[in-house]
Amino acid sequence: MFRNAVRVLGVAGLATAPVLGAAAGAVADEVGPGTAGVRLEYYVPGQRLLAPGESLWFGIEGMPPGWDRVEITSPALQKPALLVPAKKGARESTEPADDGGPRIREGLRAGSYPVTATSHGRTVATTRVKVIGEDAAEVFRFVIGPAGALPGGTTPARVRPGSDIQVLLNDLRGDPEETSLTVTSPVFTGPVTIRTGSPDDPGCKCDDPGTVYAGRGRVRPDVAPGRYPMTVKSHHGKQTTTRHVTVAGEPVAHGPSPAAIGAVSAGAAVLVAGGVIAVRRRRSRTSG
């Protein structure tokens, strides 16, 4: 069922009518009241979270023999959705037509909303859908790793004190007018700027779709091993996202910074100049 769905968002539903079969273990993150038996599912094409105006698909499984229709209602939906058997005698509903499915109401506030499946006036399953705000971020990856390496997965890698690092963020709902973000952490030598179109973007297919921000920074050489927060504010300061970074291992040794090299060079130049002046003065006194 739902072979065309890109990502599964939620699986839910427990029967409330005892005629629907023997109880079974719950298989969902969120379930309705009553005994198990009928399972109500929903899928979101192309996205992991739901926002107002976006579509989703419903499906139902475990219906008793002979069922012919189930109506899906929710205060979150623009209008009810109708499910019918996949074929004669099937206990599950058919795949929906490629019409985008029912939609979340425009202007809906972020929150969790009840969904009810009824068949001829009897409730057969319930679940809830989570809806985010219209301008909310959906951060799929916010990771850190050694500079020059492909940041894998969705969990920040361990980094060593003093190491050069690469930070990457993928927002599935990135603001097109926001081309750079600032990442802060007590482990960084300073704020790290990440940008769209950055040469540090590894071009990983796992980041399709989404807006990718990438940039480089350095871990403080004196930071103690441990777990530290890494935070970014996006969507013009409306969204704050935090992940945790693990610092472990021996510090990475670096040569003096360009500023320090410049200061040493300037000091050496002063010493050389002073020596030349002193020699000239001695020569002048000798010749006199």
Side-chain angles (χ1 to χ4, degrees):
M1 187 169 62
F2 299 102
R3 289 188 297 271
N4 297 325
V6 178
R7 290 192 177 107
V8 176
L9 170 65
V11 180
L14 287 181
T16 57
V19 299
L20 295 176
V27 295
D29 293 332
E30 292 192 31
V31 295
T35 58
V38 175
R39 185 174 62 186
L40 177 63
E41 304 173 327
Y42 69 99
Y43 298 82
V44 184
Q47 296 287 347
R48 289 162 46 88
L49 300 177
L50 279 167
E54 294 188 345
S55 61
L56 69 165
W57 296 338
F58 287 97
I60 200 162
E61 296 181 353
M63 288 294 290
W67 77 284
D68 60 351
R69 58 181 288 143
V70 167
E71 187 178 50
I72 307 298
T73 57
S74 172
L77 299 179
Q78 289 182 353
K79 61 181 181 179
L82 180 65
L83 302 178
V84 296
K87 60 183 179 180
K88 186 176 181 179
R91 302 189 64 187
E92 70 278 353
S93 61
T94 185
E95 292 185 359
D98 292 330
D99 59 0
R103 293 184 175 275
I104 299 296
R105 284 172 39 207
E106 298 282 355
L108 197 66
R109 292 184 178 182
S112 176
Y113 293 86
V115 180
T116 303
T118 59
S119 181
H120 298 282
R122 169 173 287 187
T123 298
V124 295
T126 64
T127 187
R128 301 186 73 88
V129 293
K130 293 179 181 178
V131 180
I132 64 173
E134 290 180 323
D135 58 351
E138 185 178 349
V139 176
F140 175 55
R141 290 214 300 157
F142 183 22
V143 293
I144 181 175
L150 175 66
T154 56
T155 303
R158 293 190 176 195
V159 294
R160 294 168 59 188
S163 62
D164 292 320
I165 48 89
Q166 180 175 332
V167 180
L168 181 146
L169 182 144
N170 177 11
D171 187 349
L172 297 180
R173 302 177 190 274
D175 187 328
E177 297 181 358
E178 198 167 45
T179 58
S180 67
L181 302 172
T182 300
V183 183
T184 59
S185 174
V187 307
F188 297 159
T189 55
V192 174
T193 300
I194 55 178
R195 296 182 172 85
T196 58
S198 169
D200 295 314
D201 178 357
C204 178
K205 293 298 292 182
C206 58
D207 290 321
D208 296 335
T211 301
V212 177
Y213 301 81
R216 296 195 180 196
R218 179 173 289 182
V219 178
R220 286 171 34 212
D222 61 342
V223 65
R227 189 168 178 264
Y228 299 87
M230 174 177 69
T231 302
V232 64
K233 289 188 176 182
S234 62
H235 290 243
H236 306 285
K238 297 178 182 178
Q239 184 88 26
T240 299
T241 305
T242 299
R243 298 290 186 269
H244 285 85
V245 182
T246 299
V247 178
E250 293 297 321
V252 175
H254 291 281
S257 66
I261 294 175
V264 171
S265 299
V270 171
L271 290 175
V272 171
V276 171
I277 293 173
V279 169
R280 286 179 177 174
R281 287 178 176 174
R282 290 194 192 99
R283 288 179 178 176
S284 298
R285 290 173 182 172
T286 303
S287 58

